[in-house]
Amino acid sequence: MQLANLLRETLDVDCDEVWENERTPTPVRVFAVRLHSMGLSVREVVAVLELLGVDRSHGAIW
């Protein structure tokens, strides 16, 4: 299964109004939260997001 399909199937959320002013798309934020909840550090989450082409600092992720 491709990562895009996995994200589309598992990270579909209906709370866009909560993060409407954020520059990072909601599925990416949800994915980052799930990674962190699985035990990855904030810096490890940043590294994973960089592999996906999302450039954010660890402070922004925190």
Side-chain angles (χ1 to χ4, degrees):
M1 176 178 288
Q2 293 182 2
L3 181 59
N5 292 339
L6 179 63
L7 291 174
R8 190 175 308 109
E9 291 177 8
T10 62
L11 302 178
D12 188 24
V13 292
D14 292 330
C15 57
D16 291 334
E17 70 278 355
V18 174
W19 290 320
E20 66 185 352
N21 294 325
E22 298 292 329
R23 70 179 208 169
T24 306
T26 299
V28 173
R29 287 192 306 272
V30 172
F31 182 61
V33 168
R34 288 191 181 179
L35 289 174
H36 186 64
S37 70
M38 291 173 21
L40 274 69
S41 71
V42 172
R43 291 187 189 267
E44 290 170 331
V45 171
V46 169
V48 171
L49 293 180
E50 284 177 353
L51 292 172
L52 298 174
V54 178
D55 184 30
R56 300 291 183 270
S57 69
H58 73 277
I61 299 298
W62 180 77

